[in-house]
Amino acid sequence: LKFQMTDYAGTQAVARELRTLGLKPHDSLLVLNRGYNIYLETDARPPTRYIHSVHMMTTFHTPSPDALGENLAARPGFIVVANPSRRVLDESDAKYQQAFAVLNTQYAQVGQVSGKLDSFLIYRRLKGS
């Protein structure tokens, strides 16, 4: 297990790219696994109250039996995924499979940003999804 520091320059670049792609303040955005300051940089809103990867991507107990599923079902306009090969704590392969099943059918990858410590994929919800 390797501790991953936040890539502030990378997340600022993601925020700029999201604004270029049309994200507006108060739009719905899901930051799946790292880079939570993207919410602050964009003034976007997480789709549910579960905003941390520990809640969504691990077996951490929450009042919701499926915090990740709730976030995906809320159909945020954009989803940002930090490099999934660099995981924190006990992020689950099954949770990543769940997320990518939705990303591959209801979203299109519209951006990729590389920072100093991390890289990020940006997905936009497909019209009609």
Side-chain angles (χ1 to χ4, degrees):
L1 175 67
K2 181 177 180 180
F3 179 75
Q4 175 66 40
M5 303 244 340
T6 298
D7 184 344
Y8 290 108
T11 57
Q12 288 174 336
V14 170
R16 285 191 300 274
E17 182 67 13
L18 283 164
R19 285 191 293 274
T20 298
L21 291 166
L23 181 74
K24 304 280 187 254
H26 307 290
D27 280 354
S28 181
L29 166 71
L30 176 60
V31 176
L32 189 69
N33 54 344
R34 283 188 307 284
Y36 309 111
N37 62 313
I38 295 168
Y39 291 120
L40 298 173
E41 295 284 339
T42 61
D43 201 24
R45 302 291 181 245
T48 75
R49 63 184 172 161
Y50 304 107
I51 64 167
H52 199 280
S53 65
V54 170
H55 299 144
M56 292 183 287
M57 305 303 289
T58 72
T59 57
F60 187 83
H61 176 71
T62 65
S64 169
D66 185 9
L68 174 61
E70 276 188 36
N71 274 291
L72 297 170
R75 301 173 53 233
F78 289 91
I79 297 178
V80 174
V81 182
N83 182 347
S85 70
R86 302 175 80 179
R87 297 190 182 176
V88 179
L89 298 173
D90 62 345
E91 291 178 347
S92 158
D93 286 335
K95 295 289 187 174
Y96 276 99
Q97 290 168 1
Q98 178 184 356
F100 278 98
V102 171
L103 288 170
N104 291 334
T105 58
Q106 298 176 27
Y107 287 78
Q109 183 184 328
V110 293
Q112 183 171 349
V113 174
S114 293
K116 292 180 181 180
L117 300 173
D118 214 341
S119 61
F120 305 87
L121 299 175
I122 301 171
Y123 293 86
R124 181 191 328 226
R125 187 168 34 90
L126 297 170
K127 299 254 188 251
S129 292

